[in-house]
Amino acid sequence: MANKAVQRFKARVGTKSAAEVDKFEKDLASISAPLGDIINRKIVSAIEKAAGEPVQLSWLPTDTARSSIFSPIADRDLDQLQGKLVFRSSWGILTVHGPPLNVTDESVFLALLHFVRKEKKAAIKVNYRQICKTLGLSYQTKNIRRIKKAIKNLALTSLDFELKDGTWAIRAILQSAKGVKDYSTIEIDPWFFSKFLANEITMLDLKFRQSLKGYVVKCLYRFLSSHRGPQSYRIETLIMALNMNPTQELKYHTRALMGAFSQLRNKKFLTYKFKAGVFSDIKIL
């Protein structure tokens, strides 16, 4: 037990041994933990019930479609995204705090999840060369700098869940993150990983994802992969679900989405129909 903890305990209740401080803290933890577990289970249960299928971080359930915290917006335009992201659903409200995230941040996040899954532990040390190789990037200064920024962005992002009955919890995507010149050490929130991220990388083919050209198509691939069975979406629904730039005109979004669907069809990932602003009969092959 650290000396500071012992000193704090002595100051509060008189002179105690390190063993007594240990016992006190364990007793306190045993009292506190069940309440946290109950709240966490309640929140997960409410979200899963509303979603009707397994829930992952990137496809947060809403009443119309699963939405993403990652935007198909270039780095230079991220400043256009102002304020917090708020998702409302039948189970309650999810507020995302932190810097705006885009597809580059998501790519780094998926790479980190890949290594977490591979090493079978929440805390890992990864060098930037490994991440570049996983994402099909050249190992150069600009890419290393962007990977570092993505890890910092993820570490600064937290999710505030609140159910309609007032039950709430705030969870961070990364519990901790630090690094030096050549590598970073990160720790995924274990609860968050087990409840929301366990299937995140198994359902996505990272090599296939890297072969896709453009931010919108990568977001669309991730979004459609999280759904099962024939699908149908209005353009407006996809704009919201993919967290596309709200300041752009509808015609630009329509063009981008049509190009993304066409690319996925050409790669034999899906088939679909399009008429009067609706993508229908979407079937994953």
Side-chain angles (χ1 to χ4, degrees):
M1 175 60 61
N3 288 335
K4 287 184 178 179
V6 175
Q7 290 168 2
R8 286 198 306 271
F9 192 80
K10 286 179 179 179
R12 287 177 178 272
V13 298
T15 302
K16 298 286 181 182
S17 67
E20 287 174 305
V21 174
D22 278 335
K23 184 177 185 304
F24 172 79
E25 292 199 346
K26 287 178 181 177
D27 289 344
L28 182 62
S30 68
I31 294 170
S32 303
L35 177 60
D37 290 343
I38 290 169
I39 290 173
N40 289 334
R41 285 200 303 270
K42 189 173 182 180
I43 288 171
V44 172
S45 176
I47 295 174
E48 288 181 342
K49 184 177 179 181
E53 54 184 289
V55 181
Q56 291 80 38
L57 171 67
S58 300
W59 10 103
L60 307 169
T62 71
D63 289 338
T64 53
R66 288 184 173 180
S67 299
S68 175
I69 64 173
F70 300 102
S71 299
I73 298 177
D75 284 354
R76 64 179 179 274
D77 298 323
L78 278 177
D79 289 340
Q80 296 178 25
L81 297 181
Q82 300 294 328
K84 298 172 290 189
L85 278 176
V86 179
F87 299 98
R88 300 178 185 277
S89 186
S90 57
W91 54 265
I93 298 174
L94 172 62
T95 305
V96 183
H97 301 273
L101 304 172
N102 68 2
V103 173
T104 303
D105 298 302
E106 182 186 42
S107 296
V108 174
F109 181 55
L110 290 171
L112 294 177
L113 289 180
H114 169 76
F115 293 117
V116 165
R117 193 80 176 233
K118 185 178 180 181
E119 297 188 26
K120 299 180 180 179
K121 56 184 182 181
I124 60 169
K125 182 170 82 172
V126 291
N127 65 57
Y128 303 126
R129 189 182 294 277
Q130 285 178 296
I131 296 176
C132 285
K133 183 178 179 180
T134 300
L135 298 179
L137 301 174
S138 58
Y139 185 66
Q140 55 179 298
T141 301
K142 70 173 185 178
N143 290 334
I144 294 170
R145 188 180 299 122
R146 186 60 181 88
I147 289 169
K148 288 180 182 177
K149 182 182 178 184
I151 293 173
K152 290 181 178 181
N153 285 346
L154 292 166
L156 292 170
T157 301
S158 61
L159 299 152
D160 179 352
F161 298 88
E162 181 154 2
L163 303 186
K164 289 186 175 180
D165 68 0
T167 304
W168 63 275
I170 297 177
R171 311 296 304 206
I173 294 178
L174 300 184
Q175 262 191 189
S176 66
K178 59 184 179 180
V180 293
K181 181 180 179 181
D182 299 317
Y183 67 85
S184 286
T185 302
I186 64 101
E187 183 175 2
I188 301 283
D189 182 324
W191 176 86
F192 210 57
F193 181 80
S194 66
K195 300 302 181 184
F196 291 89
L197 307 177
N199 298 320
E200 187 91 3
I201 60 169
T202 58
M203 67 189 301
L204 291 180
D205 182 334
L206 292 183
K207 187 174 181 180
F208 177 79
R209 182 181 180 277
Q210 288 306 114
S211 75
L212 300 174
K213 306 299 181 185
Y215 282 174
V216 174
V217 68
K218 288 180 179 179
C219 285
L220 183 63
Y221 166 61
R222 174 244 300 140
F223 173 77
L224 294 176
S225 295
S226 71
H227 295 72
R228 297 291 179 267
Q231 305 168 48
S232 180
Y233 303 105
R234 296 190 61 79
I235 287 177
E236 293 82 359
T237 302
L238 290 172
I239 291 171
M240 179 200 70
L242 302 187
N243 198 17
M244 298 175 76
N245 190 341
T247 64
Q248 281 193 319
E249 293 182 43
L250 181 61
K251 63 180 180 181
Y252 294 112
H253 288 315
T254 302
R255 189 181 307 150
L257 286 168
M258 291 185 71
F261 269 98
S262 178
Q263 187 178 159
L264 289 173
R265 181 173 59 189
N266 292 340
K267 287 183 173 289
K268 304 190 186 309
F269 174 73
L270 55 70
T271 58
Y272 71 96
K273 297 177 182 177
F274 179 77
K275 184 178 181 180
V278 178
F279 291 95
S280 61
D281 293 330
I282 304 168
K283 297 176 182 177
I284 308 301
L285 302 178

